[in-house]
Amino acid sequence: MLRSTAKTAIAVLKYTSRQASGLARIVTTSTVGDLKLSSAQHADLEASKSLIRYNGDERELIQLIKTKAEASPTVSDYQTAVAAAVRGLNALKCTNIHIHADVDAALPQSDLLQAALMTNDCFHRKTQADDKPSLASEISLTLNGKRFDSTYTRAICEGAKLTRRLVNERADIASPAGMQAEAQVIADTFDLKLTAIVGEKLLDERLGMIHAVGRAARVPPRLVMLEYDGADNIDEAPIMLVGKGVTFDTGGLNLKPTGFIETMHFDMGGSGAVLGAMHAIASLKLKANVVALLPLAENAIGKDAYKPMDFLTSYKGLTVSVGNTDAEGRLVLADALTYGEEKYKPAAIVDVATLTGACVVALGPYAAGVFSNNEAMVQDIIQAGREGNEVLWHLPILPQHVAELKCTFTDVSSTGESRYGGASTAAAFLQKFVKETTPWTHIDIAGPVDAAKADSYNNKGATGFGVASLVNFVNNFKGYST
């Protein structure tokens, strides 16, 4: 008989109906013998990668995770096993889930907790009891025989779940007013300062591009600002987080076609990520001053809609030619960037946006694109993402991208000359609205903002991407020399 050289990890899920609790035990090939599987059970497990055993009221669901020959299970392998375990126990309607695993001491244990907590989440609007998903009210981990927990990881996951809920929500609820209300809840919960500039008052403040994008919508556009003072020195320059908040993007008069418009409630994913991060930052009481700016607008069509080739005047004073009304996110971000930089004089700026389909073409749904005017900041952002299992990839803003924005009639065009390099020309546009001396990074999350199907600890729909990167960046922030 040939023996497989592939190493495996097995998740053993135990369910006791009387206690409505489940035990997941993740083991490797060296401890498979403890399961006392028969030859037939081993064969079934190899064939289907899962096995259910019945012992009276107790049920065991065993899931087999294979790795390449001679390879040890990776963090990703363990996270996938934990996610499968939680889904299995959710399906068995367990109210308490306890996960036991022996893992390599070098593996980040918080990653397993992240996988468990983020899997135990489901957005739905089902009304029938039989159809409603079941989630556990308590999840705990025992790793290498010791109870493991992390307040920091739990706070990030709560923030990311908030982001998921907001991004999954439909636009009539997560409207500009609805997003402001969500920000108000965070402000009230953690005693943050909230201010908002709404509707026609945007014009009084010279925020004409935010107003233009949202002026045709039923709910007025607005700029919402949240201020968190966590540094020992209240006068310390803050970190500024800016999140694109286009709550539904029809494309404007350059209307999106069927097959593209249906998921455009996701287009406020940047503001959703920033709100989730602010929730976590305030919950953890991080030692930093942080301000969040949310330019919120619905890019609707109607008699008041802005038009292709309109000339707009930005808060900075630059005139902008509208190359395409479906390139609206950069307009609202540009005004917010300049306004926030002038008002708060930040130590660093990070903006997050579902900005371009071009970034998805470049990186797929697997990574976010990162653009910056500060190399040290790029490395810090990428590392912050790595710590939170979010992949960020540095992309360039070349002189040629900047040159494409030249315009005959205005100071700048909102779009490039061709369909190539669209993520970089969009970033080049944003860069024009930030001072060269201010460390700034733009993160295009158009790809990883949502999952087309469940994978590892992400369910289908919004992923909560960006929250972990932002919180880790703030927590690790040391500043930059200019």
Side-chain angles (χ1 to χ4, degrees), residues 336-365:
L337 287 167
T338 308
Y339 183 87
E341 184 179 27
E342 181 180 287
K343 180 178 176 67
Y344 295 108
K345 298 176 174 54
I349 301 173
V350 184
D351 78 71
V352 187
T354 51
L355 202 63
T356 66
C359 200
V360 187
V361 171
L363 301 175

PDB file of all heavy atoms in Angstrom, residues 336-365:
ATOM      1  N   ALA A 336     -12.353  66.431   0.153  1.00  0.00           N
ATOM      2  CA  ALA A 336     -12.170  66.038   1.553  1.00  0.00           C
ATOM      3  C   ALA A 336     -10.699  66.080   1.954  1.00  0.00           C
ATOM      4  O   ALA A 336     -10.355  66.503   3.070  1.00  0.00           O
ATOM      5  CB  ALA A 336     -12.739  64.641   1.781  1.00  0.00           C
ATOM      6  N   LEU A 337      -9.819  65.648   1.063  1.00  0.00           N
ATOM      7  CA  LEU A 337      -8.384  65.645   1.358  1.00  0.00           C
ATOM      8  C   LEU A 337      -7.875  67.063   1.624  1.00  0.00           C
ATOM      9  O   LEU A 337      -7.189  67.316   2.617  1.00  0.00           O
ATOM     10  CB  LEU A 337      -7.606  65.013   0.203  1.00  0.00           C
ATOM     11  CG  LEU A 337      -7.710  63.495   0.056  1.00  0.00           C
ATOM     12  CD1 LEU A 337      -7.156  63.046  -1.297  1.00  0.00           C
ATOM     13  CD2 LEU A 337      -6.970  62.789   1.189  1.00  0.00           C
ATOM     14  N   THR A 338      -8.210  67.991   0.731  1.00  0.00           N
ATOM     15  CA  THR A 338      -7.711  69.355   0.879  1.00  0.00           C
ATOM     16  C   THR A 338      -8.327  70.038   2.095  1.00  0.00           C
ATOM     17  O   THR A 338      -7.631  70.712   2.873  1.00  0.00           O
ATOM     18  CB  THR A 338      -8.015  70.188  -0.380  1.00  0.00           C
ATOM     19  OG1 THR A 338      -7.544  69.483  -1.530  1.00  0.00           O
ATOM     20  CG2 THR A 338      -7.317  71.536  -0.317  1.00  0.00           C
ATOM     21  N   TYR A 339      -9.634  69.869   2.262  1.00  0.00           N
ATOM     22  CA  TYR A 339     -10.319  70.481   3.398  1.00  0.00           C
ATOM     23  C   TYR A 339      -9.764  69.959   4.723  1.00  0.00           C
ATOM     24  O   TYR A 339      -9.468  70.732   5.642  1.00  0.00           O
ATOM     25  CB  TYR A 339     -11.816  70.192   3.310  1.00  0.00           C
ATOM     26  CG  TYR A 339     -12.636  70.842   4.399  1.00  0.00           C
ATOM     27  CD1 TYR A 339     -13.109  72.147   4.248  1.00  0.00           C
ATOM     28  CD2 TYR A 339     -12.955  70.160   5.565  1.00  0.00           C
ATOM     29  CE1 TYR A 339     -13.869  72.747   5.250  1.00  0.00           C
ATOM     30  CE2 TYR A 339     -13.714  70.746   6.567  1.00  0.00           C
ATOM     31  CZ  TYR A 339     -14.172  72.037   6.403  1.00  0.00           C
ATOM     32  OH  TYR A 339     -14.919  72.625   7.396  1.00  0.00           O
ATOM     33  N   GLY A 340      -9.617  68.633   4.815  1.00  0.00           N
ATOM     34  CA  GLY A 340      -9.115  68.044   6.055  1.00  0.00           C
ATOM     35  C   GLY A 340      -7.680  68.414   6.339  1.00  0.00           C
ATOM     36  O   GLY A 340      -7.301  68.664   7.497  1.00  0.00           O
ATOM     37  N   GLU A 341      -6.853  68.469   5.304  1.00  0.00           N
ATOM     38  CA  GLU A 341      -5.450  68.841   5.499  1.00  0.00           C
ATOM     39  C   GLU A 341      -5.347  70.274   6.010  1.00  0.00           C
ATOM     40  O   GLU A 341      -4.545  70.567   6.914  1.00  0.00           O
ATOM     41  CB  GLU A 341      -4.682  68.680   4.194  1.00  0.00           C
ATOM     42  CG  GLU A 341      -3.189  68.943   4.323  1.00  0.00           C
ATOM     43  CD  GLU A 341      -2.449  68.748   3.017  1.00  0.00           C
ATOM     44  OE1 GLU A 341      -3.080  68.923   1.946  1.00  0.00           O
ATOM     45  OE2 GLU A 341      -1.258  68.423   3.057  1.00  0.00           O
ATOM     46  N   GLU A 342      -6.142  71.160   5.466  1.00  0.00           N
ATOM     47  CA  GLU A 342      -6.109  72.559   5.905  1.00  0.00           C
ATOM     48  C   GLU A 342      -6.652  72.710   7.326  1.00  0.00           C
ATOM     49  O   GLU A 342      -6.092  73.453   8.139  1.00  0.00           O
ATOM     50  CB  GLU A 342      -6.935  73.415   4.946  1.00  0.00           C
ATOM     51  CG  GLU A 342      -6.952  74.902   5.297  1.00  0.00           C
ATOM     52  CD  GLU A 342      -7.782  75.702   4.331  1.00  0.00           C
ATOM     53  OE1 GLU A 342      -7.326  75.890   3.179  1.00  0.00           O
ATOM     54  OE2 GLU A 342      -8.908  76.128   4.705  1.00  0.00           O
ATOM     55  N   LYS A 343      -7.718  71.996   7.648  1.00  0.00           N
ATOM     56  CA  LYS A 343      -8.380  72.137   8.946  1.00  0.00           C
ATOM     57  C   LYS A 343      -7.601  71.474  10.077  1.00  0.00           C
ATOM     58  O   LYS A 343      -7.463  72.044  11.169  1.00  0.00           O
ATOM     59  CB  LYS A 343      -9.788  71.530   8.871  1.00  0.00           C
ATOM     60  CG  LYS A 343     -10.589  71.609  10.174  1.00  0.00           C
ATOM     61  CD  LYS A 343     -11.978  71.017   9.969  1.00  0.00           C
ATOM     62  CE  LYS A 343     -12.779  70.988  11.263  1.00  0.00           C
ATOM     63  NZ  LYS A 343     -13.115  72.358  11.735  1.00  0.00           N
ATOM     64  N   TYR A 344      -7.068  70.269   9.832  1.00  0.00           N
ATOM     65  CA  TYR A 344      -6.485  69.474  10.919  1.00  0.00           C
ATOM     66  C   TYR A 344      -4.964  69.432  10.907  1.00  0.00           C
ATOM     67  O   TYR A 344      -4.366  69.000  11.889  1.00  0.00           O
ATOM     68  CB  TYR A 344      -7.039  68.049  10.867  1.00  0.00           C
ATOM     69  CG  TYR A 344      -8.521  67.977  11.131  1.00  0.00           C
ATOM     70  CD1 TYR A 344      -9.419  67.686  10.109  1.00  0.00           C
ATOM     71  CD2 TYR A 344      -9.026  68.206  12.403  1.00  0.00           C
ATOM     72  CE1 TYR A 344     -10.779  67.614  10.347  1.00  0.00           C
ATOM     73  CE2 TYR A 344     -10.393  68.129  12.659  1.00  0.00           C
ATOM     74  CZ  TYR A 344     -11.262  67.843  11.621  1.00  0.00           C
ATOM     75  OH  TYR A 344     -12.614  67.784  11.867  1.00  0.00           O
ATOM     76  N   LYS A 345      -4.322  69.836   9.828  1.00  0.00           N
ATOM     77  CA  LYS A 345      -2.861  69.795   9.710  1.00  0.00           C
ATOM     78  C   LYS A 345      -2.305  68.458  10.208  1.00  0.00           C
ATOM     79  O   LYS A 345      -1.523  68.386  11.150  1.00  0.00           O
ATOM     80  CB  LYS A 345      -2.239  70.966  10.478  1.00  0.00           C
ATOM     81  CG  LYS A 345      -2.678  72.319   9.920  1.00  0.00           C
ATOM     82  CD  LYS A 345      -2.154  73.475  10.738  1.00  0.00           C
ATOM     83  CE  LYS A 345      -2.500  74.807  10.069  1.00  0.00           C
ATOM     84  NZ  LYS A 345      -3.950  74.966   9.785  1.00  0.00           N
ATOM     85  N   PRO A 346      -2.686  67.382   9.547  1.00  0.00           N
ATOM     86  CA  PRO A 346      -2.358  66.040  10.025  1.00  0.00           C
ATOM     87  C   PRO A 346      -0.885  65.675   9.866  1.00  0.00           C
ATOM     88  O   PRO A 346      -0.185  66.201   9.001  1.00  0.00           O
ATOM     89  CB  PRO A 346      -3.229  65.139   9.152  1.00  0.00           C
ATOM     90  CG  PRO A 346      -3.413  65.927   7.892  1.00  0.00           C
ATOM     91  CD  PRO A 346      -3.492  67.348   8.310  1.00  0.00           C
ATOM     92  N   ALA A 347      -0.457  64.735  10.696  1.00  0.00           N
ATOM     93  CA  ALA A 347       0.899  64.190  10.596  1.00  0.00           C
ATOM     94  C   ALA A 347       1.006  63.229   9.415  1.00  0.00           C
ATOM     95  O   ALA A 347       2.091  63.032   8.865  1.00  0.00           O
ATOM     96  CB  ALA A 347       1.272  63.475  11.887  1.00  0.00           C
ATOM     97  N   ALA A 348      -0.095  62.630   9.040  1.00  0.00           N
ATOM     98  CA  ALA A 348      -0.133  61.714   7.899  1.00  0.00           C
ATOM     99  C   ALA A 348      -1.581  61.540   7.478  1.00  0.00           C
ATOM    100  O   ALA A 348      -2.505  61.687   8.293  1.00  0.00           O
ATOM    101  CB  ALA A 348       0.484  60.362   8.251  1.00  0.00           C
ATOM    102  N   ILE A 349      -1.775  61.234   6.204  1.00  0.00           N
ATOM    103  CA  ILE A 349      -3.118  61.023   5.656  1.00  0.00           C
ATOM    104  C   ILE A 349      -3.184  59.667   4.981  1.00  0.00           C
ATOM    105  O   ILE A 349      -2.302  59.312   4.199  1.00  0.00           O
ATOM    106  CB  ILE A 349      -3.483  62.105   4.611  1.00  0.00           C
ATOM    107  CG1 ILE A 349      -3.420  63.516   5.226  1.00  0.00           C
ATOM    108  CG2 ILE A 349      -4.872  61.849   4.034  1.00  0.00           C
ATOM    109  CD1 ILE A 349      -3.613  64.619   4.188  1.00  0.00           C
ATOM    110  N   VAL A 350      -4.235  58.916   5.277  1.00  0.00           N
ATOM    111  CA  VAL A 350      -4.540  57.677   4.553  1.00  0.00           C
ATOM    112  C   VAL A 350      -5.949  57.797   4.007  1.00  0.00           C
ATOM    113  O   VAL A 350      -6.888  58.062   4.764  1.00  0.00           O
ATOM    114  CB  VAL A 350      -4.461  56.429   5.455  1.00  0.00           C
ATOM    115  CG1 VAL A 350      -4.690  55.166   4.624  1.00  0.00           C
ATOM    116  CG2 VAL A 350      -3.131  56.355   6.182  1.00  0.00           C
ATOM    117  N   ASP A 351      -6.110  57.654   2.709  1.00  0.00           N
ATOM    118  CA  ASP A 351      -7.467  57.582   2.166  1.00  0.00           C
ATOM    119  C   ASP A 351      -7.722  56.177   1.642  1.00  0.00           C
ATOM    120  O   ASP A 351      -6.813  55.502   1.154  1.00  0.00           O
ATOM    121  CB  ASP A 351      -7.704  58.649   1.090  1.00  0.00           C
ATOM    122  CG  ASP A 351      -7.110  58.310  -0.274  1.00  0.00           C
ATOM    123  OD1 ASP A 351      -7.628  57.405  -0.944  1.00  0.00           O
ATOM    124  OD2 ASP A 351      -6.121  58.965  -0.669  1.00  0.00           O
ATOM    125  N   VAL A 352      -8.964  55.728   1.805  1.00  0.00           N
ATOM    126  CA  VAL A 352      -9.366  54.369   1.443  1.00  0.00           C
ATOM    127  C   VAL A 352     -10.580  54.471   0.539  1.00  0.00           C
ATOM    128  O   VAL A 352     -11.546  55.174   0.856  1.00  0.00           O
ATOM    129  CB  VAL A 352      -9.713  53.529   2.692  1.00  0.00           C
ATOM    130  CG1 VAL A 352      -9.961  52.074   2.306  1.00  0.00           C
ATOM    131  CG2 VAL A 352      -8.612  53.631   3.734  1.00  0.00           C
ATOM    132  N   ALA A 353     -10.549  53.763  -0.588  1.00  0.00           N
ATOM    133  CA  ALA A 353     -11.633  53.915  -1.553  1.00  0.00           C
ATOM    134  C   ALA A 353     -11.763  52.713  -2.461  1.00  0.00           C
ATOM    135  O   ALA A 353     -10.771  52.092  -2.845  1.00  0.00           O
ATOM    136  CB  ALA A 353     -11.387  55.167  -2.410  1.00  0.00           C
ATOM    137  N   THR A 354     -13.000  52.397  -2.797  1.00  0.00           N
ATOM    138  CA  THR A 354     -13.279  51.483  -3.918  1.00  0.00           C
ATOM    139  C   THR A 354     -13.218  52.352  -5.163  1.00  0.00           C
ATOM    140  O   THR A 354     -14.243  52.706  -5.740  1.00  0.00           O
ATOM    141  CB  THR A 354     -14.674  50.856  -3.761  1.00  0.00           C
ATOM    142  OG1 THR A 354     -15.631  51.907  -3.535  1.00  0.00           O
ATOM    143  CG2 THR A 354     -14.719  49.893  -2.591  1.00  0.00           C
ATOM    144  N   LEU A 355     -12.014  52.676  -5.606  1.00  0.00           N
ATOM    145  CA  LEU A 355     -11.892  53.774  -6.557  1.00  0.00           C
ATOM    146  C   LEU A 355     -11.960  53.346  -8.012  1.00  0.00           C
ATOM    147  O   LEU A 355     -12.624  53.994  -8.814  1.00  0.00           O
ATOM    148  CB  LEU A 355     -10.594  54.554  -6.305  1.00  0.00           C
ATOM    149  CG  LEU A 355     -10.622  55.989  -6.853  1.00  0.00           C
ATOM    150  CD1 LEU A 355     -11.686  56.816  -6.166  1.00  0.00           C
ATOM    151  CD2 LEU A 355      -9.269  56.655  -6.732  1.00  0.00           C
ATOM    152  N   THR A 356     -11.273  52.265  -8.379  1.00  0.00           N
ATOM    153  CA  THR A 356     -11.185  51.961  -9.814  1.00  0.00           C
ATOM    154  C   THR A 356     -11.325  50.475 -10.118  1.00  0.00           C
ATOM    155  O   THR A 356     -10.759  49.621  -9.429  1.00  0.00           O
ATOM    156  CB  THR A 356      -9.830  52.428 -10.398  1.00  0.00           C
ATOM    157  OG1 THR A 356      -8.770  51.665  -9.814  1.00  0.00           O
ATOM    158  CG2 THR A 356      -9.598  53.904 -10.163  1.00  0.00           C
ATOM    159  N   GLY A 357     -12.031  50.191 -11.197  1.00  0.00           N
ATOM    160  CA  GLY A 357     -12.033  48.835 -11.728  1.00  0.00           C
ATOM    161  C   GLY A 357     -10.678  48.448 -12.259  1.00  0.00           C
ATOM    162  O   GLY A 357     -10.326  47.267 -12.303  1.00  0.00           O
ATOM    163  N   ALA A 358      -9.893  49.446 -12.647  1.00  0.00           N
ATOM    164  CA  ALA A 358      -8.548  49.173 -13.169  1.00  0.00           C
ATOM    165  C   ALA A 358      -7.673  48.495 -12.124  1.00  0.00           C
ATOM    166  O   ALA A 358      -6.817  47.666 -12.463  1.00  0.00           O
ATOM    167  CB  ALA A 358      -7.898  50.473 -13.635  1.00  0.00           C
ATOM    168  N   CYS A 359      -7.888  48.833 -10.858  1.00  0.00           N
ATOM    169  CA  CYS A 359      -7.088  48.197  -9.797  1.00  0.00           C
ATOM    170  C   CYS A 359      -7.478  46.727  -9.655  1.00  0.00           C
ATOM    171  O   CYS A 359      -6.631  45.873  -9.379  1.00  0.00           O
ATOM    172  CB  CYS A 359      -7.276  48.933  -8.473  1.00  0.00           C
ATOM    173  SG  CYS A 359      -5.963  48.617  -7.273  1.00  0.00           S
ATOM    174  N   VAL A 360      -8.760  46.423  -9.870  1.00  0.00           N
ATOM    175  CA  VAL A 360      -9.207  45.030  -9.824  1.00  0.00           C
ATOM    176  C   VAL A 360      -8.612  44.255 -10.993  1.00  0.00           C
ATOM    177  O   VAL A 360      -8.204  43.099 -10.846  1.00  0.00           O
ATOM    178  CB  VAL A 360     -10.742  44.949  -9.858  1.00  0.00           C
ATOM    179  CG1 VAL A 360     -11.198  43.512  -9.644  1.00  0.00           C
ATOM    180  CG2 VAL A 360     -11.359  45.857  -8.811  1.00  0.00           C
ATOM    181  N   VAL A 361      -8.549  44.889 -12.163  1.00  0.00           N
ATOM    182  CA  VAL A 361      -7.931  44.247 -13.326  1.00  0.00           C
ATOM    183  C   VAL A 361      -6.467  43.942 -13.039  1.00  0.00           C
ATOM    184  O   VAL A 361      -5.950  42.877 -13.397  1.00  0.00           O
ATOM    185  CB  VAL A 361      -8.068  45.140 -14.574  1.00  0.00           C
ATOM    186  CG1 VAL A 361      -7.250  44.586 -15.734  1.00  0.00           C
ATOM    187  CG2 VAL A 361      -9.526  45.283 -14.972  1.00  0.00           C
ATOM    188  N   ALA A 362      -5.793  44.865 -12.359  1.00  0.00           N
ATOM    189  CA  ALA A 362      -4.366  44.697 -12.083  1.00  0.00           C
ATOM    190  C   ALA A 362      -4.096  43.634 -11.024  1.00  0.00           C
ATOM    191  O   ALA A 362      -3.178  42.822 -11.166  1.00  0.00           O
ATOM    192  CB  ALA A 362      -3.766  46.030 -11.645  1.00  0.00           C
ATOM    193  N   LEU A 363      -4.883  43.630  -9.946  1.00  0.00           N
ATOM    194  CA  LEU A 363      -4.563  42.795  -8.784  1.00  0.00           C
ATOM    195  C   LEU A 363      -5.603  41.734  -8.484  1.00  0.00           C
ATOM    196  O   LEU A 363      -5.394  40.899  -7.599  1.00  0.00           O
ATOM    197  CB  LEU A 363      -4.386  43.685  -7.542  1.00  0.00           C
ATOM    198  CG  LEU A 363      -3.288  44.753  -7.627  1.00  0.00           C
ATOM    199  CD1 LEU A 363      -3.311  45.630  -6.381  1.00  0.00           C
ATOM    200  CD2 LEU A 363      -1.922  44.110  -7.800  1.00  0.00           C
ATOM    201  N   GLY A 364      -6.738  41.751  -9.199  1.00  0.00           N
ATOM    202  CA  GLY A 364      -7.800  40.827  -8.870  1.00  0.00           C
ATOM    203  C   GLY A 364      -8.431  41.182  -7.539  1.00  0.00           C
ATOM    204  O   GLY A 364      -8.199  42.262  -6.985  1.00  0.00           O
ATOM    205  N   PRO A 365      -9.226  40.273  -6.990  1.00  0.00           N
ATOM    206  CA  PRO A 365      -9.863  40.536  -5.696  1.00  0.00           C
ATOM    207  C   PRO A 365      -8.973  40.210  -4.502  1.00  0.00           C
ATOM    208  O   PRO A 365      -9.434  40.224  -3.374  1.00  0.00           O
ATOM    209  CB  PRO A 365     -11.077  39.593  -5.738  1.00  0.00           C
ATOM    210  CG  PRO A 365     -10.595  38.427  -6.531  1.00  0.00           C
ATOM    211  CD  PRO A 365      -9.672  38.992  -7.581  1.00  0.00           C
TER     212      PRO A 365
END
